[in-house]
């Protein structure tokens, strides 16, 4: 019979988390690399005390915004290949509800993060306690229940002994390739501080093996038959390629079959940009090369993608009357989308098996020549977007990317999430390594970039990490700059100022909403002037502790980016882009995106937009 250890619930949880590991392909890592926290009366005496007591076992990072702490943990998890993540603790009330957006982002992107919000008293000696939401029809509901729909696993620990099965269930979900996402253990503040005699086995080192399920033989045979009969196949690489570490298996598959490979936002970088089969991004923000291949494909092979509307262009991109889909995905839910032939398996295992099953198959020579020539033509368009004939003028957004493209190596990591930048990056960026491109587009959450860059830098110390943000997303969540300064994490933040929500402003204009409320302008009566507000984001970044380089011209931009890359402390490059009233300047969208337009309106812009919508929507189809 083993002994017991008397600890509080919070102390037991911290000790337990410090002893959890993952292992895949011989790579063993600590599952919970650190804990982020902002303390209040819901967690300061419980988890706060425990983290002090076990500071030598559990690293701690002090956050400034609860949502941002989740973003930092998610950035760490993605950079770690989902083999490791961070925990996040908050007080009750607003601290807990601030977790919801970050939790949704984690779950939608299938990235693990452990949330530990404080909760109201389980024993209810103080009822209502400060910040408690009273629900007249249910005594066991708190604001933490908001986290249920955005969590892959949720439990409320109302007795210390409940922690044992709950903690094990939480680790199971965090390490499950199919079910991973946000995991929430709500912790009533009195239970956190309550002592219990814990079995010593609870604190033993535990290794969670990450599975690589192989495909079913019958599904594999059907997939091989479908591929062998295809004349114009196209492979779409999604985020599952990265999550599985299947990049080399994908390269081997492409080398053997010569099938062109397009990528989603999450899958970009699965092949280097200079791989012969890489044809760039697909969908509304994709390249002309990839989207034209999609229109004429007779077999679409989706690997690790969940087919969001940008990827599928709302059912209008895949135009071939007989097009079929073959989906290789570790999740059966995603493998069956678009009435596809499912190949339910780990991406690396499945790609290897499929390559062996179709040994000798190669795409038709004319198909290879076609996409090779188209890819070369697209690269010339990228060069034209990046080029600056006069380096003494204000740069466009595309020229900012061009200046960065000329500077970075495969060591650099780029982070972005929202605005017009994701579209430009998806079309134009030339990935030099498998993990260079980090664009969160499952939730497209403004404010993600800066905190995520901190998490990425913690997971990849010594590598240059760039957070690319527009003025709109910067204003959402700059607070974690203080954390980067406090811990001297040398992230590089590039702020592109175009005086408004340029991306949504362009969309607003296209759907008849006339750019309403998408700019930062002086208000006069019922309208807005053309003058931008006197807001100085560079000064704001400097006030939060960053070194700041202001760049007014292309030449100054190049110098500022080089200085930032060499910097050893948090550094900001601030640049006002040309032109304020346009999005970017790269080639326009190559596929239609279904955004419904007012069916009746009396303003000419909306009427015209509806006519355009009706023209496009006739091509929409259900893939059955």
């Amino acid at each position: 019979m083993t002994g017991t250890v008397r600890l509080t619930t919070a102390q037991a949880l911290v000790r337990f988390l410090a002893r959890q590991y993952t292992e895949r392909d011989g790579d063993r890592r600590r599952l919970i690399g650190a804990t982020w926290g902002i303390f209040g009366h819901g967690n300061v005496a419980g988890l706060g005390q425990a983290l002090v007591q076990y500071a030598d076992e559990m690293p701690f990072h002090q956050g400034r915004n609860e949502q941002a702490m989740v973003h930092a943990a998610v950035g760490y998890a993605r950079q770690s290949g989902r083999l490791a993540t961070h925990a996040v603790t908050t007080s009750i009330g607003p601290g807990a509800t601030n977790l919801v957006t970050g939790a949704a982002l984690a779950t939608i992107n299938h990235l693990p993060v452990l949330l530990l919000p404080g909760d109201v008293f389980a024993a209810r000696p103080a009822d209502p306690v400060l910040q408690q939401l009273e629900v007249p029809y249910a005594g066991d509901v708190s604001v933490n229940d908001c986290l249920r729909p955005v969590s892959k696993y949720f439990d409320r620990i109302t007795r210390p002994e409940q922690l044992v099965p709950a903690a094990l269930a939480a680790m199971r979900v965090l390490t499950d390739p199919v079910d991973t996402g946000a995991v929430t253990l709500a912790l009533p503040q009195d239970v956190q501080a309550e002592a219990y005699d814990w079995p010593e086995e609870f604190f033993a080192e535990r290794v969670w093996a990450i599975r690589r399920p192989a495909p079913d033989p019958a599904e594999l045979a059907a997939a091989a038959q479908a591929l062998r009969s295809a004349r114009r196949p196209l492979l779409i690489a999604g985020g599952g390629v990265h999550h599985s570490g299947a990049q080399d298996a994908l390269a081997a598959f492409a080398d053997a079959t010569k099938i062109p490979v397009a990528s989603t936002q999450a899958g970009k970088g699965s092949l280097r940009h200079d791989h012969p089969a890489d044809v760039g991004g697909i969908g509304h923000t994709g390249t002309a090369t990839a989207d034209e291949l999609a229109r004429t494909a007779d077999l679409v092979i989706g690997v690790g993608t969940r087919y969001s509307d940008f990827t599928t262009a709302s059912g209008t991109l895949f135009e071939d009357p007989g097009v079929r889909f073959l989906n290789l995905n570790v999740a059966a839910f995603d493998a069956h989308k678009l009435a596809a032939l499912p190949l339910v398996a780990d991406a690396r295992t499945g790609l290897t098996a499929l390559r062996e099953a179709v040994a000798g198959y190669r795409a038709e020579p004319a198909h290879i020549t076609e996409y090779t020539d188209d890819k070369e033509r697209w690269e010339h368009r990228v060069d034209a977007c990046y080029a600056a004939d006069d380096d003494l003028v204000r740069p466009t957004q595309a020229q900012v990317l061009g200046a960065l493209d000329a500077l970075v190596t495969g060591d650099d990591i780029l982070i972005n999430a929202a605005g017009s930048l994701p579209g430009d990056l998806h079309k134009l960026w030339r990935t030099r390594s498998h993990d260079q491109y980090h664009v969160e587009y499952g939730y497209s959450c403004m404010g993600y970039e800066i905190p995520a860059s901190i998490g990425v830098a913690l997971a990849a110390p010594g590598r240059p990490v760039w957070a690319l943000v527009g003025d709109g997303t910067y204003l959402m969540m700059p607070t974690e700059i203080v954390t980067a300064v406090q811990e001297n994490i040398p992230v590089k933040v590039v702020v592109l100022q175009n005086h408004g929500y340029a991306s949504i402003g362009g969309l607003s204009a296209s759907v008849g909403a006339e750019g309403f409320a998408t700019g930062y302008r002086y208000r006069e009566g019922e309208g807005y002037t053309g003058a931008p507000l006197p807001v100085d984001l560079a000064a704001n970044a400097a006030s939060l502790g960053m070194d700041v380089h202001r760049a007014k011209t292309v030449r100054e931009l190049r110098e500022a980016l080089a200085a930032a890359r060499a910097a050893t402390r948090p550094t900001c490059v601030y640049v006002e882009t040309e032109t304020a009233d346009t999005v970017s300047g790269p080639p326009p969208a190559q596929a239609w995106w279904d955004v419904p337009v007012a069916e009746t309106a009396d303003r000419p812009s909306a009427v015209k937009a509806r006519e355009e919508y009706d023209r496009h929507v006739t091509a929409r189809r259900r893939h059955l």
Side-chain angles (χ1 to χ4, degrees):
M1 182 175 178
T2 61
T4 59
V5 181
R6 190 163 183 81
L7 299 169
T8 68
T9 303
Q11 292 163 358
L13 177 57
V14 171
R15 286 195 65 189
F16 170 84
L17 294 178
R19 289 163 172 77
Q20 306 304 304
Y21 294 86
T22 60
E23 186 169 357
R24 185 179 68 182
D25 306 328
D27 182 8
R28 173 173 161 159
R29 300 194 189 188
R30 178 166 159 164
L31 175 56
I32 307 298
T35 296
W36 288 82
I38 296 175
F39 294 108
H41 72 89
N43 64 343
V44 65
L47 276 169
Q49 187 280 327
L51 288 164
V52 171
Q53 182 165 321
Y54 295 113
D56 58 337
E57 298 183 41
M58 177 60 69
F60 177 77
H61 301 297
Q62 181 181 357
R64 270 73 192 178
N65 177 284
E66 292 85 358
Q67 177 183 323
M69 294 193 297
V70 185
H71 294 335
V74 167
Y76 182 90
R78 174 167 170 170
Q79 188 63 32
S80 300
R82 302 199 303 185
L83 299 178
T85 187
H86 286 163
V88 177
T89 180
T90 73
S91 181
I92 74 169
T97 52
N98 278 351
L99 295 172
V100 173
T101 297
L105 181 148
T107 294
I108 285 172
N109 286 282
H110 302 295
L111 291 167
V113 61
L114 177 61
L115 308 180
L116 305 173
D119 212 324
V120 300
F121 284 93
R124 305 180 189 174
D127 188 26
V129 71
L130 177 64
Q131 298 178 318
Q132 178 177 344
L133 170 71
E134 292 185 273
V135 181
Y137 61 84
D140 62 346
V141 172
S142 79
V143 295
N144 285 343
D145 289 273
C146 294
L147 287 160
R148 289 182 183 271
V150 293
S151 297
K152 298 296 287 187
Y153 179 83
F154 179 98
D155 202 352
R156 178 177 283 110
I157 312 303
T158 58
R159 290 293 308 146
E161 56 267 35
Q162 293 174 351
L163 179 64
V164 174
L168 293 171
M171 299 304 105
R172 171 187 60 80
V173 175
L174 287 172
T175 58
D176 190 311
V178 176
D179 287 336
T180 194
V183 169
T184 300
L185 296 180
L187 302 171
Q189 56 182 303
D190 52 344
V191 178
Q192 289 184 47
E194 186 175 345
Y196 181 74
D197 294 323
W198 304 90
E200 289 182 342
E201 301 99 315
F202 186 54
F203 307 112
E205 286 191 1
R206 193 178 302 266
V207 179
W208 300 83
I210 309 299
R211 297 185 298 278
R212 286 196 181 279
D216 176 81
E219 288 188 352
L220 180 60
Q225 176 60 34
L227 180 52
R228 286 188 178 280
S229 63
R231 297 177 299 99
R232 295 183 60 82
L234 171 67
L235 190 148
I236 299 176
V241 176
H242 291 302
H243 297 331
S244 171
Q247 298 94 340
D248 290 342
L250 176 61
F253 182 87
D255 290 339
T257 64
K258 307 303 181 184
I259 293 174
V261 177
S263 57
T264 68
Q265 285 281 14
K268 191 174 172 74
S270 296
L271 295 180
R272 276 180 52 103
H273 76 96
D274 53 1
H275 189 284
D278 180 70
V279 294
I282 194 168
H284 183 71
T285 57
T287 68
T289 306
D291 284 353
E292 188 57 35
L293 288 168
R295 290 185 180 95
T296 59
D298 60 348
L299 180 69
V300 178
I301 308 168
V303 182
T305 178
R306 58 192 187 89
Y307 289 103
S308 72
D309 66 340
F310 258 50
T311 300
T312 61
S314 302
T316 61
L317 182 57
F318 306 107
E319 295 180 356
D320 187 277
V323 64
R324 300 179 68 194
F325 295 84
L326 166 62
N327 292 339
L328 167 56
N329 205 296
V330 72
F333 175 80
D334 290 314
H336 283 271
K337 288 179 176 177
L338 301 178
L341 282 172
L343 188 59
V344 181
D346 166 75
R348 193 184 78 172
T349 304
L351 280 167
T352 301
L354 185 59
R355 173 172 57 84
E356 294 171 352
V358 297
Y361 171 87
R362 286 171 61 96
E364 295 179 1
H367 191 40
I368 299 170
T369 299
E370 176 188 332
Y371 74 71
T372 300
D373 291 346
D374 284 349
K375 176 180 177 176
E376 183 177 358
R377 282 191 287 271
W378 182 261
E379 288 301 315
H380 290 316
R381 296 181 73 177
V382 174
D383 289 338
C385 290
Y386 281 174
D389 295 332
D390 185 352
D391 62 3
L392 297 180
V393 299
R394 180 184 296 176
T396 65
Q397 182 165 286
Q399 288 167 345
V400 173
L401 299 182
L404 195 58
D405 175 84
L407 177 68
V408 303
T409 70
D411 285 341
D412 295 71
I413 303 170
L414 273 65
I415 299 164
N416 186 237
S420 56
L421 273 166
D424 290 357
L425 287 163
H426 201 203
K427 290 188 190 84
L428 305 176
W429 188 257
R430 294 161 169 159
T431 52
R432 291 162 172 79
S433 63
H434 294 323
D435 63 351
Q436 179 176 81
Y437 189 87
H438 182 131
V439 173
E440 187 287 300
Y441 220 56
Y443 210 40
S444 186
C445 184
M446 295 177 70
Y448 172 81
E449 297 91 335
I450 294 174
S453 72
I454 295 173
V456 170
L458 291 171
R463 295 179 62 180
V465 178
W466 301 84
L468 308 182
V469 300
D471 49 307
T473 197
Y474 178 89
L475 287 169
M476 285 278 182
M477 200 171 297
T479 51
E480 296 316 301
I481 287 175
V482 177
T483 300
V485 171
Q486 180 177 4
E487 302 201 14
N488 196 29
I489 302 171
V491 296
K492 297 93 172 57
V493 177
V494 181
V495 179
L496 293 85
Q497 170 69 277
N498 55 23
H499 301 287
Y501 303 117
S503 174
I504 210 68
L507 177 63
S508 173
S510 72
V511 297
E514 303 177 32
F516 178 70
T518 58
Y520 302 147
R521 308 285 175 174
Y522 281 109
R523 188 176 184 92
E524 288 186 354
E526 297 301 315
Y528 295 86
T529 70
L533 293 173
V535 176
D536 192 339
L537 301 185
N540 178 261
S543 75
L544 296 177
M546 296 196 96
D547 292 339
V548 176
H549 299 273
R550 295 175 184 261
K552 296 182 179 179
T553 66
V554 173
R555 178 185 296 176
E556 290 178 358
L557 173 65
R558 295 187 186 120
E559 295 170 351
L561 291 173
R565 191 173 189 275
T568 58
R569 66 180 313 276
T571 303
C572 173
V573 174
Y574 173 87
V575 55
E576 190 160 342
T577 56
E578 184 72 42
T579 305
D581 295 324
T582 62
V583 173
S584 57
Q590 305 298 308
W592 183 63
W593 181 30
D594 191 343
V595 178
V597 177
E599 193 167 1
T600 62
D602 56 10
R603 295 181 70 84
S605 59
V607 173
K608 182 179 179 180
R610 181 66 196 197
E611 292 172 353
E612 185 72 7
Y613 179 83
D614 289 338
R615 183 177 68 83
H616 281 290
V617 81
T618 57
R620 189 168 56 194
R621 63 188 288 195
R622 293 280 187 185
H623 292 286
L624 302 171

